[in-house]
Amino acid sequence: MGHMKEFDIRIRSGGDDAIAAVSELMAGRWIPVSERLPEDHTLVLAFSNGRTLFGYTSGGEWIDTLYGWTLRDAPTHWMPLPEPPN
């Protein structure tokens, strides 16, 4: 599922999660991994050990897309990527 579809589902469900989803979309908020992880194989910006990188999770492990390596230092925060232009 794409991240925009995930946001749509969260927003339509209402309640506190809908408010959080709108806030994330509007503010481009960094999401702590302690709060939740991105859906597996969804490319995101991740913050790990003082640097920002493109990555995704796969079976609970974080993968750096530049090198295809499992990250030694798991990210502390992540952010969805915006939708690409049409």
Side-chain angles (χ1 to χ4, degrees):
M1 172 184 341
H3 68 276
M4 292 308 290
K5 183 164 178 74
E6 174 194 341
F7 281 121
D8 183 56
I9 291 168
R10 290 174 60 202
I11 290 166
R12 290 174 189 271
S13 69
D16 290 341
D17 193 42
I19 293 168
V22 170
S23 296
E24 289 166 24
L25 280 173
M26 298 306 291
R29 175 175 91 85
W30 286 99
I31 302 165
V33 298
S34 60
E35 186 177 309
R36 67 184 173 91
L37 293 174
E39 186 173 319
D40 270 2
H41 304 287
T42 300
L43 186 61
V44 298
L45 283 177
F47 184 80
S48 175
N49 204 22
R51 66 187 179 111
T52 303
L53 52 98
F54 290 103
Y56 61 92
T57 57
S58 178
E61 291 189 327
W62 282 90
I63 308 297
D64 178 339
T65 58
L66 181 60
Y67 300 106
W69 298 338
T70 299
L71 294 176
R72 179 176 44 209
D73 299 317
T76 58
H77 294 76
W78 63 278
M79 180 185 297
L81 298 177
E83 286 293 321
N86 292 334

